[in-house]
Amino acid sequence: MSKILKLFSGSGAISIIAIVLGLIVGAVVMLIGGYEPLLAYKSLFSQVFGNTYDFGETLREITPLILTGFAFAFAARAGLFNIGGEGQFIVGMTAASVIGIKVHGLPIYIHAPLAVIAGGLFGGIWAALVGYLKAKRGVNEVITSIMLNWIALYLANFIVRHFLLMEGKQRSEDILPTASVSFPWLSDLMDSARIHWGMLIAVLCSVFFYYFMWKTKQGFELRAVGNNPNAAQYAGMNVGRNVVKAMFISGIFAGLAGAFQILGVFHYQSIMSGSPGTGFDGIAVGLIGMNNPFGILLGALLFGTLTYGSAGMSFGAGVPPELIRIVIGSIIFFIAAQGIVRGIIKPFYFKRKKEKVL
Amino acid sequence: MNSATPVVELKGITKRFPGVVANDSISFKLFKGEIHALLGENGAGKSTLMNIVFGLYQPDEGSIEINGEPVIIDNPNKAIDLGIGMVHQHFKLVEPFTVTENIILGMEPKKGSNLDTKTAAARIQELSEQYGLRVDPYAKIHDISVGMQQRVEILKTLYRGADILIFDEPTAVLTPQEITELMEIMRRLVAEGKSIILITHKLKEIMHISNTVTIIRRGKVIDTVKTSEASPSILAEKMVGRNVTFKVDKRAAAPGGNVLEVRDLFVKNKEGATVLNGLNLNVRAGEILGIAGVDGNGQTQLIEALTGLSKVESGSIRLNGKELANATPRQISESGIAHIPEDRHKHGLVLDFSMSENMVLETYYKEPYSKRGFLDYNAIKKQAQRLIQAFDVRTPSAETKARSLSGGNQQKAIIAREIDKNPDVLIAAQPTRGLDVGAIEFVQTQLIAQRDQGKAVLLISFELDEIINVSDRIAVIYEGQIVGEVLPEQTNDQELGLMMAGSTVAGGVRHE
Ligand SMILES: Nc1ncnc2c1ncn2[C@@H]1O[C@H](COP(=O)(O)OP(=O)(O)OP(=O)(O)O)[C@@H](O)[C@H]1O
Ligand SMILES: [Mg+2]
């Protein structure tokens, strides 16, 4: 455990300072726009923590972000820029919808897990395609995953329209109750906020991520390939196979995120006019969490809180909710431009060190 | 300026890293027009000290004066403004750019809003002629040799107006010919009023070119002496604190049968040009075969073909009779070939892994390091600590990242790992590159010990001294073929040099 803390503490300080700086930038922009930043942030937090329903809904907001954050970070650890979390997310949604709507006569303890697994699996395959093209043909993963994002969007709409459509609506039929992963007991407790099992699974995934990446032989290979593919090849690792594997696991995370949105939150799939964006938000979460699984839990917590709370900000202080995107953008900027943050903490850091020496 | 004022003066510089004091109140003076050598064991703190002068690190204590003025150098731009230039061991050039583009990068001259490369190129041409660098301003970086790239780095510092030049192990990557030329260039530089700090492990170079030597041991200055009053053995003793013999003890080899047989090997490089042209060679058990040759005659491709890193077009590679051409690196490693790679940063290490992880880079999947798919970090750490101890790798701990070890200690770690694999064939490519004399002696002794245990050792090196001292048999590679074979006790630098240049006369001389 102390190791986990250590893993996090060095970069943790930077993240926290970046968050504070991001909030300050947001406040400055609000001041310029003639709003009251303190009131705005206060309404933001009271929106999130004000009552149990909103608190539950915030958790609902956070869950897919955790998983798409993992999707980005897992690939990043293996040296891959997975910008395709969006497409993998959509494929995961669609696979879960198909199983949830079309497969009949299964008991809940088989149907729901089956739909979840289908979502994860297809998300994984979608991503593995990118890995395969990179490993075998040397195609840059950014290009293929962006293309596959669009293909996923139109394919999903096609499937909903032609196989799953509810008469006269721009959406699919509802999934069967046996495929639902909602958590009615807790939902009732929280004024019917949409609580589902995916939240627990997302948290468990962080443990899997950590153990797989840092404690297993396969994780060792992924990290070696990510850090220095030449040395990995020299050491006898199959670089191509590791690229495919990293993308596959990464895509499973995104696929699961999509599956839980369908099976636990909406219970149907809409025809989408544009990409939902959850996969892209995962990139931001991954960056805020510095590609560390526990950092990502916190990153998603922050991102989800700010996003959900932004509605309260516009009620309470009249601030347009888009402003929160500026805050998030600035946080990422400060994390990326670590030099600036280091410069700010340096005086404190030196002082502390001097004291230690004495 | 008063000629007695040093151009650089360091006063009581101390720099601590977690677990080590890299520089321990170091004081140092560089005078105008002087070549001042810094000598010290691997990890003594030389690079750290120079990185402080160049503004890459901040000292924890101490001060710096340039031309008698106290200064704070908190970034490299500041150093450049103060007229300090540094030629790093690992060049920082953009490959697809031209020489001129690389040199003006970050301070592009403008004519209106257009980039004015013409004037810059003319200026570079002029500088190049003034110092005898012979660099073509319009050549692309990836088309020129390593030695030429280094000159581009030198030009870069001169173009930015450097009067104080720092060279960190400039000769480690150069061929003997290029080294001679570099020495000439340095002479020109000081003749034109520049001052030079030179880090090198090669005592011959220090004796040959420097005016003053400062010896550092474990972060402390041991002594500063005039080169004219020193000798290689005095320097070596001051540096490692014991007597160094320079000549490895070696009994006559007792070679057995062929272990490694290479027949008619053809290999192409990335551009599709044939670089190995039907190469043949044998290495016997219990012998060290040295491969001598000028860089670029197929050495790299030979090593890569033998270790599975590049594809073999045709021909055979047999290890104890087993065919290994185009086998995977893992199959080759498991068949009993170990490989000390020529580029430690490219192939040898994952710099952001800990030393522990690097020590099992090729064996992590085996018991006891892995059990049922899970790594056993205790077993890994134990192995790492054992190797660190046995090979005197200077690192604060086994958990330290490979990146923060000194260059020479990184090299020692790789050698420890490869020898410990207990291979049938040990391929050692430039194994002592960047090592101090004490460590060189140690590594060469290890290679000979491997031989004495009946291993076949293939040594590839640009150091003719090393080839002659360590090998039992020398094969000369030229344009992708072995063009001749000589015995070390019957040859000399001149003859080898001629053969390496492709002279058929010398190649025809046989010593049977
Ligand atoms: N960035 C760093 N972080 C932690 N320790 C470091 C770092 N850089 C250097 N060190 C440590 O400081 C010491 C001195 O290293 P330095 O690179 O200056 O040695 P050196 O004299 O240049 O050796 P070599 O001849 O092997 O290049 C070593 O013990 C090294 O492990
Ligand atoms: Mg060094």
Side-chain angles (χ1 to χ4, degrees):
Chain A
M1 190 65 204
S2 69
K3 252 213 193 117
I4 301 178
L5 288 176
K6 217 170 77 192
L7 205 71
F8 195 59
S9 66
S11 35
I14 290 180
S15 285
I16 288 165
I17 289 163
I19 291 165
V20 173
L21 289 175
L23 290 172
I24 293 173
V25 169
V28 170
V29 174
M30 282 183 230
L31 280 176
I32 294 171
Y35 304 106
E36 283 179 61
L38 278 181
L39 178 65
Y41 286 135
K42 214 182 108 214
S43 358
L44 188 155
F45 286 104
S46 58
Q47 162 81 6
V48 172
F49 299 104
N51 58 55
T52 50
Y53 170 78
D54 284 319
F55 184 66
E57 281 291 300
T58 307
L59 293 181
R60 194 254 318 137
E61 184 83 35
I62 290 167
T63 308
L65 294 173
I66 296 176
L67 289 166
T68 52
F70 288 164
F72 177 77
F74 196 89
R77 287 282 173 190
L80 297 160
F81 190 69
N82 180 12
I83 199 171
E86 188 71 17
Q88 295 139 27
F89 176 85
I90 294 173
V91 169
M93 279 172 42
T94 313
S97 294
V98 170
I99 302 288
I101 295 166
K102 286 292 178 196
V103 178
H104 293 264
L106 292 179
I108 186 160
Y109 54 88
I110 294 180
H111 195 185
L114 188 70
V116 169
I117 290 169
L121 192 67
F122 277 89
I125 291 171
W126 204 250
L129 219 58
V130 172
Y132 179 82
L133 287 170
K134 175 164 179 123
K136 282 283 173 278
R137 295 263 166 266
V139 192
N140 187 299
E141 73 269 22
V142 174
I143 295 171
T144 41
S145 46
I146 291 178
M147 283 168 40
L148 282 171
N149 283 349
W150 290 103
I151 296 173
L153 177 65
Y154 292 115
L155 184 68
N157 284 346
F158 176 84
I159 290 174
V160 171
R161 195 170 281 131
H162 288 271
F163 302 106
L164 310 172
L165 200 69
M166 179 180 258
E167 278 304 318
K169 292 264 168 65
Q170 286 292 304
R171 51 163 276 199
S172 74
E173 294 173 40
D174 280 332
I175 58 163
L176 300 181
T178 46
S180 166
V181 297
S182 292
F183 200 156
W185 176 73
L186 211 60
S187 284
D188 288 346
L189 266 184
M190 302 185 99
D191 291 328
S192 55
R194 289 164 291 176
I195 305 290
H196 59 86
W197 286 100
M199 299 176 183
L200 184 69
I201 298 201
V203 174
L204 289 179
C205 279
S206 68
V207 178
F208 166 81
F209 188 148
Y210 174 76
Y211 270 89
F212 189 86
M213 199 53 96
W214 282 280
K215 299 291 171 198
T216 71
K217 170 169 107 179
Q218 300 187 51
F220 186 89
E221 289 190 5
L222 290 181
R223 286 182 294 124
V225 168
N227 276 304
N228 185 349
N230 286 315
Q233 190 200 8
Y234 157 91
M237 300 168 193
N238 185 330
V239 175
R241 195 197 309 156
N242 275 291
V243 165
V244 177
K245 190 194 289 173
M247 284 307 288
F248 179 65
I249 296 177
S250 164
I252 289 178
F253 286 129
L256 284 177
F260 287 131
Q261 286 302 88
I262 296 296
L263 304 172
V265 180
F266 300 118
H267 299 125
Y268 63 84
Q269 183 169 340
S270 307
I271 291 177
M272 296 168 276
S273 53
S275 240
T278 320
F280 292 128
D281 291 346
I283 299 176
V285 170
L287 291 172
I288 294 175
M290 295 189 159
N291 296 335
N292 172 302
F294 306 108
I296 285 167
L297 286 183
L298 300 178
L301 194 73
L302 174 81
F303 197 117
T305 306
L306 292 180
T307 311
Y308 192 78
S310 62
M313 214 167 66
S314 71
F315 277 140
V319 179
E322 289 76 24
L323 198 132
I324 217 63
R325 291 277 160 172
I326 296 183
V327 174
I328 292 168
S330 319
I331 294 173
I332 295 169
F333 171 81
F334 286 116
I335 286 177
Q338 285 189 15
I340 300 176
V341 177
R342 288 231 164 83
I344 290 171
I345 35 179
K346 208 155 108 185
F348 305 99
Y349 187 67
F350 272 135
K351 216 160 112 200
R352 213 176 63 201
K353 213 162 141 196
K354 281 249 170 65
E355 280 161 11
K356 246 185 213 162
V357 173
L358 289 177
Chain B
M1 192 184 63
N2 186 341
S3 68
T5 316
V7 286
V8 178
E9 178 162 11
L10 307 179
K11 293 180 171 171
I13 298 282
T14 296
K15 177 74 187 171
R16 301 183 191 88
F17 288 118
V20 278
V21 185
N23 293 156
D24 192 350
S25 74
I26 288 193
S27 295
F28 171 92
K29 287 178 189 163
L30 173 72
F31 291 96
K32 190 171 166 65
E34 150 183 85
I35 299 182
H36 194 142
L38 269 186
L39 179 66
E41 284 181 286
N42 295 124
K46 306 176 294 292
S47 297
T48 304
L49 188 66
M50 289 306 112
N51 285 335
I52 288 174
V53 175
F54 194 57
L56 289 165
Y57 292 148
Q58 293 309 301
D60 295 326
E61 285 159 32
S63 60
I64 303 177
E65 287 180 10
I66 302 292
N67 297 322
E69 299 284 328
V71 290
I72 288 175
I73 308 176
D74 45 17
N75 63 62
N77 288 332
K78 190 82 173 280
I80 292 167
D81 288 343
L82 289 165
I84 302 169
M86 184 156 177
V87 177
H88 295 271
Q89 189 178 334
H90 296 268
F91 308 145
K92 298 172 194 295
L93 298 171
V94 187
E95 294 251 318
F97 280 21
T98 66
V99 168
T100 305
E101 286 165 338
N102 265 284
I103 290 176
I104 61 179
L105 202 66
M107 45 177 300
E108 298 83 355
K110 295 271 170 64
K111 200 188 229 165
S113 63
N114 293 328
L115 203 57
D116 183 12
T117 30
K118 269 235 177 72
T119 322
R123 172 90 186 107
I124 289 164
Q125 185 72 45
E126 191 185 312
L127 280 170
S128 163
E129 274 161 25
Q130 184 183 354
Y131 296 99
L133 295 169
R134 296 203 304 271
V135 171
D136 170 10
Y138 293 106
K140 293 244 165 81
I141 296 299
H142 55 59
D143 293 335
I144 61 180
S145 70
V146 172
M148 209 41 108
Q149 292 181 11
Q150 185 174 64
R151 292 182 194 184
V152 176
E153 289 281 5
I154 299 173
L155 263 178
K156 197 155 97 184
T157 66
L158 295 173
Y159 185 85
R160 288 162 194 222
D163 290 316
I164 300 156
L165 281 88
I166 302 171
F167 289 87
D168 192 350
E169 297 191 41
T171 58
V173 290
L174 298 185
T175 61
Q177 173 64 26
E178 287 170 329
I179 292 174
T180 318
E181 288 168 12
L182 178 66
M183 296 288 144
E184 213 37 62
I185 292 166
M186 288 189 173
R187 287 225 174 79
R188 284 279 270 280
L189 288 166
V190 286
E192 302 268 340
K194 312 279 178 198
S195 318
I196 294 180
I197 302 175
L198 168 69
I199 300 179
T200 178
H201 288 296
K202 298 178 189 164
L203 297 170
K204 225 164 52 179
E205 292 167 6
I206 292 183
M207 294 307 299
H208 190 61
I209 191 142
S210 71
N211 310 103
T212 318
V213 193
T214 291
I215 300 112
I216 300 178
R217 196 195 303 160
R218 300 197 179 233
K220 287 199 179 76
V221 171
I222 296 298
D223 203 355
T224 297
V225 294
K226 286 218 170 340
T227 313
S228 53
E229 292 161 14
S231 74
S233 54
I234 295 177
L235 291 178
E237 196 176 330
K238 280 188 195 289
M239 170 176 135
V240 296
R242 66 176 163 86
N243 198 11
V244 181
T245 55
F246 298 110
K247 194 84 186 159
V248 277
D249 286 334
K250 191 169 97 174
R251 284 179 288 129
N258 282 340
V259 177
L260 183 69
E261 292 174 298
V262 178
R263 288 283 162 273
D264 299 321
L265 197 64
F266 283 84
V267 172
K268 288 186 176 158
N269 65 8
K270 272 198 280 312
E271 285 75 39
T274 305
V275 273
L276 289 190
N277 258 317
L279 180 138
N280 289 294
L281 72 86
N282 294 325
V283 194
R284 290 172 293 180
E287 81 165 347
I288 300 177
L289 175 68
I291 303 267
V294 176
D295 192 13
N297 276 288
Q299 292 94 325
T300 305
Q301 286 75 20
L302 173 62
I303 299 164
E304 290 188 346
L306 291 178
T307 50
L309 292 173
S310 65
K311 202 171 149 259
V312 172
E313 292 293 321
S314 69
S316 93
I317 298 169
R318 283 170 189 277
L319 175 70
N320 293 322
K322 181 176 163 196
E323 182 58 50
L324 284 181
N326 287 325
T328 65
R330 169 122 338 143
Q331 286 163 345
I332 290 172
S333 159
E334 292 192 332
S335 309
I337 293 184
H339 170 202
I340 300 165
E342 78 182 311
D343 187 337
R344 56 181 172 246
H345 286 179
K346 183 174 178 197
H347 287 123
L349 295 167
V350 178
L351 288 174
D352 285 318
F353 273 19
S354 68
M355 285 318 292
S356 289
E357 289 176 309
N358 272 297
M359 286 302 200
V360 296
L361 201 59
E362 296 150 296
T363 46
Y364 64 94
Y365 61 94
K366 292 184 185 164
E367 294 251 9
Y369 315 124
S370 264
K371 286 191 192 112
R372 277 178 244 98
F374 280 87
L375 297 173
D376 181 343
Y377 274 102
N378 286 329
I380 292 173
K381 192 170 169 188
K382 226 161 90 193
Q383 164 74 352
Q385 279 168 338
R386 189 172 68 76
L387 293 179
I388 287 168
Q389 178 87 38
F391 285 77
D392 187 28
V393 180
R394 308 253 170 100
T395 170
S397 82
E399 302 316 315
T400 307
K401 281 192 177 161
R403 185 183 294 288
S404 38
L405 262 63
S406 79
N409 282 298
Q410 292 173 344
Q411 182 71 12
K412 284 200 268 181
I414 294 171
I415 292 171
R417 178 181 75 202
E418 296 309 310
I419 287 184
D420 193 65
K421 276 167 71 187
N422 193 22
D424 293 334
V425 175
L426 178 62
I427 299 175
Q430 322 294 349
T432 58
R433 181 182 272 183
L435 294 189
D436 66 55
V437 284
I440 288 175
E441 191 182 70
F442 178 74
V443 167
Q444 293 181 343
T445 311
Q446 290 294 324
L447 293 181
I448 293 165
Q450 289 294 301
R451 175 202 79 171
D452 290 343
Q453 287 172 32
K455 307 286 161 65
V457 179
L458 184 64
L459 170 69
I460 298 100
S461 176
F462 297 137
E463 301 279 335
L464 285 188
D465 287 351
E466 175 160 87
I467 292 276
I468 293 174
N469 285 339
V470 179
S471 313
D472 299 312
R473 199 154 58 89
I474 301 172
V476 178
I477 190 170
Y478 179 73
E479 293 192 339
Q481 292 180 333
I482 300 295
V483 293
E485 223 184 271
V486 289
L487 294 177
E489 54 277 12
Q490 293 172 359
T491 189
N492 54 44
D493 288 16
Q494 277 78 20
E495 188 191 32
L496 273 180
L498 278 172
M499 289 173 75
M500 282 159 56
S503 155
T504 44
V505 184
V509 177
R510 288 290 169 136
H511 304 265
E512 309 297 356

